[in-house]
Amino acid sequence: RRWTHSRLIRFTMSPSKDFETVTIGDARALILQGGPRAVVVLQEWWGVNDVVKAHAVRLHELGYTVCIPDLYKGKLGVDVEEAHHLMSNLDWPAATIEITDCVSYLKISLEATSVGVIGFCMGGALALVAAQKAGVEACVSFYGVPGADACDLSAIKIPVQAHFGDKDNLAGFSDPEAAKKLSEALGGENQNVLTYEGVGHAFMNTTPDPYPDFEAREKTQGFPVLDEKAVALAWDRVKTFFDSTLT
């Protein structure tokens, strides 16, 4: 596949970072080069917005090279209806190929010694798909479980760390019952499903985008407001997990 480099994009959240845009096969990805270990960061159903970029910046500051595949090709969901439309129309097999191409690019072109994947919401489900199919060494999934047509969860053999809130209201996708089923399907060595009390879906988002505030988000989607202690605990767990599984 042909890999081409493009211009730098200035990301204005503090601290600012320059994301390099790279075309990898059919994928358009944002790259921040760091250390020899790399992590592919997968978007929520909103698209590649400032929230997912902030997650990537956090991992970059821990020393990782990060790559964000833009699975919507620049489109963003500005409300629930549009985000649902974009996710519903996503070609998951094609997205899986794009994620796999990004993993190959990191390993071949950037000479990454190992590559992990982390995803949130829709990206959390795709991260589990990638754990089975994309050639990554470790997977972190936040509040998202793919359907059986996209992934055989029992076939995942790499380390997995999955995170869910016990107040998650997305039935069948990331609610406590979905988390329980994921735990039952995995159960291998270094495969763990973690639950956080008092938080719901999207609990890692420290800004309410695209809503004006967390109260508006809760009113529209029923997600509890920000719990900074849960966010800090989850990031500590992610750091420990990737530090031990990516070499």
Side-chain angles (χ1 to χ4, degrees):
R1 294 180 178 272
R2 292 184 300 173
W3 298 333
T4 61
H5 296 260
S6 185
R7 63 188 177 87
L8 296 179
I9 293 178
R10 174 66 69 178
F11 174 40
T12 56
M13 289 183 83
S14 180
S16 62
K17 298 286 183 178
D18 285 326
F19 282 90
E20 182 180 12
T21 62
V22 180
T23 300
I24 307 169
D26 293 329
R28 174 184 178 272
L30 303 183
I31 303 281
L32 279 176
Q33 292 197 43
R37 298 175 297 172
V39 178
V40 177
V41 183
L42 300 178
Q43 68 194 56
E44 296 181 309
W45 73 338
W46 303 109
V48 179
N49 59 8
D50 283 352
V51 171
V52 71
K53 291 176 186 176
H55 293 326
V57 167
R58 184 147 189 167
L59 287 163
H60 181 258
E61 291 173 343
L62 294 175
Y64 293 94
T65 290
V66 291
C67 172
I68 311 173
D70 187 351
L71 302 176
Y72 289 168
K73 306 298 187 292
K75 296 179 180 178
L76 290 173
V78 297
D79 54 34
V80 169
E81 182 178 359
E82 185 173 2
H84 183 268
H85 174 77
L86 288 168
M87 185 176 76
S88 297
N89 285 278
L90 181 68
D91 185 331
W92 282 55
T96 303
I97 292 172
E98 291 181 21
I99 295 166
T100 304
D101 284 347
C102 287
V103 174
S104 297
Y105 173 82
L106 291 167
K107 291 184 175 182
I108 296 170
S109 288
L110 299 189
E111 300 181 343
T113 57
S114 56
V115 179
V117 64
I118 187 171
F120 305 83
C121 180
M122 180 186 79
L126 282 166
L128 290 166
V129 177
Q132 182 195 355
K133 302 179 180 181
V136 295
E137 279 73 47
C139 167
V140 174
S141 170
F142 278 91
Y143 33 78
V145 180
D149 57 335
C151 175
D152 179 1
L153 296 170
S154 66
I156 298 174
K157 304 304 180 185
I158 65 170
V160 174
Q161 186 182 83
H163 304 253
F164 297 87
D166 69 351
K167 301 297 183 183
D168 197 309
N169 60 356
L170 298 188
F173 181 71
S174 54
D175 65 335
E177 183 62 26
K180 178 182 177 182
K181 289 182 179 179
L182 175 62
S183 181
E184 292 170 349
L186 293 174
E189 184 176 356
N190 205 4
Q191 294 183 336
N192 297 293
V193 176
L194 307 171
T195 301
Y196 299 75
E197 293 184 4
V199 298
H201 196 78
F203 73 84
M204 292 297 285
N205 295 3
T206 56
T207 62
D209 296 348
Y211 299 99
D213 51 51
F214 284 106
E215 288 71 21
R217 188 184 75 166
E218 184 174 21
K219 182 178 180 180
T220 302
Q221 294 190 264
F223 303 166
V225 297
L226 176 66
D227 183 335
E228 294 181 352
K229 290 184 178 179
V231 173
L233 174 59
W235 275 118
D236 282 346
R237 287 170 165 172
V238 169
K239 180 182 184 302
T240 300
F241 177 77
F242 277 147
D243 284 350
S244 66
T245 56
L246 300 180
T247 58

